[in-house]
């Protein structure tokens, strides 16, 4: 960078040799927000839930107190769409709870096995 002085002794910096490439326009905050949105969409699709209006938008810092540079917006849902999505997620939650109880019951010793352990002659 070259410095130059204007007639009123105001310093002006001139960028003669500082070429930029495409990375100059990269916005890592937006890239991170898009990555988070993609992860959320893919996770929800595993539960057969899809948000058509999902997107990433830059935060207006003059009209909100949100400190993040970008937000992942889920879009707008009609009440019936929200209910349908909630039902799908609830069905998976019920199944996960059932599977958890089943796994827990399989890992518990059966009553006969528990008695055999108490009567072990090695004690």
């Amino acid at each position: 960078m070259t410095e130059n002085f204007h007639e009123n002794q105001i310093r002006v910096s001139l960028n003669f040799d500082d070429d930029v490439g495409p990375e100059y326009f990269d916005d890592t905050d937006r890239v991170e927000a898009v990555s988070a949105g993609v992860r959320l969409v893919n996770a929800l699709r595993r539960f057969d839930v899809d948000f058509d209006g999902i997107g990433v938008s830059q935060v207006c810092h003059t009209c909100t107190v949100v400190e993040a540079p970008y937000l992942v917006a889920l879009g707008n849902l009609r009440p019936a769409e929200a209910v349908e999505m909630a039902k799908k997620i609830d069905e998976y939650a019920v199944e996960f709870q059932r599977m958890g109880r089943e796994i827990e019951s399989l890992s518990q010793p059966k009553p006969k096995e528990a008695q055999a352990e108490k009567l072990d002659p090695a004690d």
Side-chain angles (χ1 to χ4, degrees):
M1 184 177 337
T2 305
E3 291 185 3
N4 200 352
F5 290 91
H6 192 266
E7 61 190 47
N8 294 333
Q9 295 300 318
I10 298 173
R11 187 176 79 178
V12 179
S13 297
L14 304 174
N15 295 323
F16 288 119
D17 296 324
D18 295 340
D19 292 341
V20 299
E23 69 280 352
Y24 180 79
F25 296 100
D26 287 350
D27 187 344
T28 56
D29 291 328
R30 185 177 190 291
V31 170
E32 289 174 8
V34 167
S35 177
V38 166
R39 186 173 177 185
L40 178 61
V41 167
N42 289 330
L44 288 171
R45 282 188 172 177
R46 289 187 191 112
F47 294 95
D48 197 25
V49 173
D50 202 0
F51 287 98
D52 292 334
I54 196 167
V56 172
S57 59
Q58 193 168 17
V59 173
C60 172
H61 294 291
T62 58
C63 50
T64 184
V65 295
V66 175
E67 294 181 16
Y70 286 88
L71 293 176
V72 177
L74 298 180
N76 299 314
L77 297 173
R78 292 181 195 95
E81 292 171 320
V83 168
E84 186 62 31
M85 288 181 186
K87 282 181 184 178
K88 290 177 183 179
I89 294 170
D90 285 341
E91 288 171 4
Y92 281 103
V94 167
E95 181 62 17
F96 286 143
Q97 290 170 347
R98 185 197 64 76
M99 290 185 331
R101 287 190 302 270
E102 186 175 326
I103 290 169
E104 187 177 312
S105 71
L106 292 173
S107 63
Q108 298 294 323
K110 294 184 173 93
K112 289 182 182 178
E113 291 174 1
Q115 288 177 352
E117 289 175 9
K118 289 180 186 177
L119 300 175
D120 189 0
D123 286 337

